[in-house]
Amino acid sequence: MTTAHNTTPQYPFTAVVGMDDLRLALLLNAVSPAVGGVLVRGEKGTAKSTAVRALSALMPAVDVISGCRFACAPAAPDPGCPDGPHGTGAVEERPTRMVELPVGASEDRLVGALDIERALSEGVKAFEPGLLADAHRGILYVDEVNLLHDHLVDLLLDAAAMGASYVEREGVSVRHAARFLLVGTMNPEEGELRPQLLDRFGLTVEVAASREPDQRVEVVRRRLAYDADPAGFAARWAAEEDALRGRIAAARELLPRVTLGDAALRQIAATCAAFEVDGMRADIVMARTATALAAWAGRTNVLEEDVRQAALLALPHRRRRNPFDAPGLDEDKLDRTLEEFGADEGAEEGTDGDDDPEPDGPDGGPDGGGPDGGGHPPQEGGPEESPLPPEAELPHQQEREAPQTPPAPEKPEQAEPESAPQGGAAGEKAAVGATEPFKTRRLDVPGLGEGADGRRSRARTAHGRTTGARRPHGALGKLHLSATVQAAAPHQRARGRSGRGLVVRRDDLREAVCEGREGNLVLFVVDASGSMAARKRMSAVKGAVLSLLLDAYQRRDKIGLITFRGTGAELALPPTSSVEAGAARLEQLPTGGRTPLSEGLLRAHEVLRVERMRDASRRPLLVVVTDGRATGGPEPVVRAARAARLLAGEGTASVVVDCEAGPVRLGLAGELARELQGTAITLDELRADSVSALVRTVQGNRKAA
């Protein structure tokens, strides 16, 4: 855990160059924590963490009850505080804390831990607070939030939504307040958050390094100056920091007096409906954000410009329909919606004599909101000037939802000549679009693993169905109560038990052994040779791989993509958690040339060898998508069989997706699956709802019986 009050001054918030949307989103949450936090998406090295850490120095100090580990407010202490009741204790003022949640944190470190031994033997709720308690009335910062285990993210967001944290262990329960400003950062290249979790963040912003040389020069100049003399650099920006701190306090004071009129509410509802966001959370967040924007601008009425800016911050991450959709809004559509419903409502207001019509003047109202509706922080130098230069448009959030270009009309299926060379030679076919993705059967790795939590293969995990008990290795995890009692019971007389309590020693404790699901490394090896080049077939193959990628995203796997054609194989996508990158590589995949099947399998063997050294606990699943043909080079069939046996000899679980088409089938994919000691399924059987897949499952169950 790190906090904002350390000896080295934080990099000043007002000294951050550019990133107007990020700074605005952070400041709006500082004005109104009810907005719900910020998710910052962007490439590495864009000062995401610097801006978040700098915010803590701008937050007002808080009064806390001395000695309370849960930062209870003296005016309204938590009645259920584990350190209470407080009575009339001493009061102290402290800076707002910024608590960082590391990616490798345990559940106990996040929510706190109970002393189970004392709870069983003495009936005492001995509780060690976690990071959620430390962050109460402060900022909780999660760097790389997309890499957190799912159960930790669920606990984190539940606490943020309810304003409280609950810790329950074998009938012993502790609750404490946990209200904080939640800020998460992530690099989309390393994997996405689930849509359900994205929705729990109030606002989202995309950040990227500036391409303007002058701005990049200024970033470097300021950073070097700060590194050389942090205290002196902070002192030079102290006046701007004080001005911004004062404006935050003023906006907080004004916020309860801001009126959200029916016109603005109608525009908010119409915008959320137009972009087809799920649920009502988007409407509520937009309303709170627009209100905070008005308070930030020093106004008591919400304008159309506030609603527009609120939509750009609150909706991009909520309109994603699947993990392959890029976040963003069609700003032309947004403007049309606001104009349509704003005009209608304005006419009604004029008829009804509403006292708060929308302004017609260029200043945006009597409070001087300006052409951008006051939605941006003030210029440097004080309340009249903003440290964040206003921008009426957000160029990096422009439309990125253009529909996929449909594939050209299908021609009669005809394979590419096998003699066509790889590369830009005459035999190469241009990339074709994929068919619509579908729900696939679950492909899993046999046996019981111990990898990262996920949703694919059986594994021993920290959470799941309890299957047994064992002595704890290190810190006690999930207590197995009955096994602990059984271990302690024979020793009660020798330990001098006289009362009703059970005399428990550390050696008696047993932790539960749980079985759940793990995420795997799913390595796709896709045949892109001439034998697969018929447009209809390749389109179906891409649709199948896209469906498997979507399945891998939902099951929290890492994925990799190897393609082979012509004379060799290419690692199109090194193993990653970003299925978006896999889908992009797949869409651009051309076809043509010979079928170097052995090269594809050998490349897979090398990739898996390297990944095994990096993470031995993550078990691989090899998915070979091919018709089974092998051509090119000396003895291509023999070489392919040897490569397959090499993978089988190392115990690699594999599935061959048979793409062979036509009335006459050679069954080569089935032979490859036998060499791999894996399973062969057809494209039709890959579908979860296919009749043939159901028949195979029933037949397999009968054989097993």
Side-chain angles (χ1 to χ4, degrees), residues 396-597:
H396 61 276
Q397 290 183 342
Q398 289 176 354
E399 172 58 25
R400 286 178 288 175
E401 325 171 0
Q404 182 177 353
T405 303
E410 295 177 358
K411 298 180 180 179
E413 188 168 331
Q414 181 177 359
E416 177 71 17
E418 289 287 342
S419 59
Q422 185 180 12
E428 181 178 291
K429 292 281 188 179
V432 299
T435 58
E436 193 69 22
F438 52 85
K439 183 175 179 59
T440 67
R441 295 170 53 186
R442 188 181 75 220
L443 308 176
D444 54 17
V445 180
L448 192 64
E450 295 184 347
D453 288 349
R455 295 185 178 85
R456 184 172 297 279
S457 305
R458 294 175 53 223
R460 295 186 183 91
T461 59
H463 304 272
R465 180 172 56 91
T466 300
T467 59
R470 67 182 179 188
R471 291 180 181 272
H473 303 295
L476 177 67
K478 182 180 180 181
L479 179 73
H480 196 295
L481 182 58
S482 61
T484 299
V485 172
Q486 289 175 7
H491 308 289
Q492 295 306 295
R493 180 175 298 177
R495 293 173 181 173
R497 174 187 172 187
S498 58
R500 298 178 58 185
L502 191 67
V503 182
V504 180
R505 300 287 187 262
R506 181 71 185 175
D507 291 342
D508 300 330
L509 298 179
R510 299 291 184 271
E511 67 179 3
V513 176
C514 300
E515 181 178 312
R517 295 278 175 182
E518 68 177 358
N520 299 108
L521 167 60
V522 182
L523 182 60
F524 296 94
V525 181
V526 180
D527 185 348
S529 65
S531 65
M532 303 281 288
R535 295 188 66 85
K536 184 176 181 180
R537 193 191 321 177
M538 197 60 203
S539 182
V541 167
K542 285 189 175 183
V545 178
L546 195 65
S547 303
L548 289 167
L549 284 171
L550 180 58
D551 181 70
Y553 165 79
Q554 294 169 339
R555 299 191 187 280
R556 314 304 287 169
D557 297 316
K558 289 182 68 175
I559 59 136
L561 177 64
I562 293 173
T563 63
F564 60 93
R565 65 188 182 95
T567 59
E570 175 189 2
L571 180 60
L573 180 69
T576 177
S577 297
S578 176
V579 294
E580 287 180 323
R585 301 291 196 282
L586 184 70
E587 183 180 354
Q588 301 164 3
L589 177 65
T591 59
R594 295 187 178 275
T595 311
L597 177 58

Side-chain angles (χ1 to χ4, degrees), residues 244-282:
L244 192 56
R245 192 177 294 110
R247 187 172 179 185
I248 292 174
R252 279 190 169 190
E253 183 178 350
L254 181 63
L255 184 66
R257 304 200 300 273
V258 175
T259 301
L260 184 65
D262 289 342
L265 276 173
R266 182 178 175 85
Q267 287 182 318
I268 289 170
T271 301
C272 292
F275 285 99
E276 301 179 353
V277 296
D278 296 328
M280 295 298 298
R281 184 176 283 118

Side-chain angles (χ1 to χ4, degrees), residues 167-381:
V167 183
E168 299 190 17
R169 295 285 178 86
E170 305 296 341
V172 182
S173 178
V174 172
R175 173 211 167 274
H176 65 82
R179 292 183 295 274
F180 47 81
L181 169 58
L182 177 63
V183 182
T185 60
M186 60 175 284
N187 183 351
E189 294 177 355
E190 298 173 338
E192 281 287 355
L193 278 173
R194 303 197 312 268
Q196 302 95 311
L197 303 182
L198 283 171
D199 185 52
R200 301 292 288 273
F201 283 93
L203 309 179
T204 186
V205 292
E206 298 275 341
V207 297
S210 173
R211 299 296 182 258
E212 293 292 331
D214 290 343
Q215 194 171 70
R216 295 175 74 97
V217 166
E218 186 61 23
V219 170
V220 175
R221 181 182 290 119
R222 293 187 185 183
R223 186 69 211 191
L224 293 178
Y226 171 77
D227 291 341
D229 182 10
F233 186 84
R236 289 195 293 275
W237 289 88
E240 288 81 357
E241 292 282 286
D242 288 341
L244 192 56
R245 192 177 294 110
R247 187 172 179 185
I248 292 174
R252 279 190 169 190
E253 183 178 350
L254 181 63
L255 184 66
R257 304 200 300 273
V258 175
T259 301
L260 184 65
D262 289 342
L265 276 173
R266 182 178 175 85
Q267 287 182 318
I268 289 170
T271 301
C272 292
F275 285 99
E276 301 179 353
V277 296
D278 296 328
M280 295 298 298
R281 184 176 283 118
D283 303 63
I284 296 171
V285 171
M286 272 191 66
R288 290 171 174 168
T289 305
T291 303
L293 282 163
W296 180 250
R299 289 185 274 100
T300 57
N301 60 315
V302 175
L303 305 181
E304 179 178 310
E305 290 80 0
D306 300 326
V307 176
R308 184 183 192 278
Q309 183 70 60
L312 292 172
L313 293 172
L315 296 188
H317 59 304
R318 291 188 165 91
R319 58 150 300 277
R320 289 167 58 93
R321 316 312 295 179
N322 64 63
F324 307 131
D325 290 339
L329 291 183
D330 181 345
E331 295 196 32
D332 291 335
K333 180 178 179 180
L334 173 60
D335 290 336
R336 289 194 302 270
T337 303
L338 293 175
E339 181 179 359
E340 176 185 355
F341 287 89
D344 292 344
E345 190 68 25
E348 295 174 9
E349 288 177 359
T351 302
D352 296 337
D354 196 316
D355 292 334
D356 188 23
E358 293 198 11
D360 297 325
D363 293 335
D367 294 306
D372 64 348
H376 295 278
Q379 299 288 339
E380 294 180 7

Side-chain angles (χ1 to χ4, degrees), residues 1-6 10 29-30 33 52-64 71 92-100 134-141 179-182 245 248 252:
M1 180 190 77
T2 62
T3 59
H5 49 284
N6 50 33
Q10 292 283 2
N29 274 272
V52 174
R53 293 188 177 97
L55 178 68
S56 62
L58 297 175
M59 302 290 284
V62 295
D63 291 332
V64 298
E92 63 180 86
E93 184 182 82
R94 74 176 188 198
T96 295
R97 285 180 175 174
M98 192 192 78
V99 177
E100 294 190 35
D134 293 335
H136 180 46
R137 303 176 68 200
I139 302 171
L140 182 60
Y141 172 51
R179 292 183 295 274
F180 47 81
L181 169 58
L182 177 63
R245 192 177 294 110
I248 292 174
R252 279 190 169 190

Side-chain angles (χ1 to χ4, degrees), residues 1 67-71 81-83 97 99 107-115 125-136 165 167 174 176-177:
M1 180 190 77
C68 178
R69 297 174 297 167
F70 301 88
C81 176
D83 285 354
R97 285 180 175 174
V99 177
E107 180 178 342
D108 286 346
R109 187 72 189 97
L110 176 63
V111 300
L114 289 168
D115 189 331
K125 293 182 181 179
F127 182 68
E128 182 65 29
L131 296 178
L132 291 180
D134 293 335
H136 180 46
S165 175
V167 183
V174 172
H176 65 82

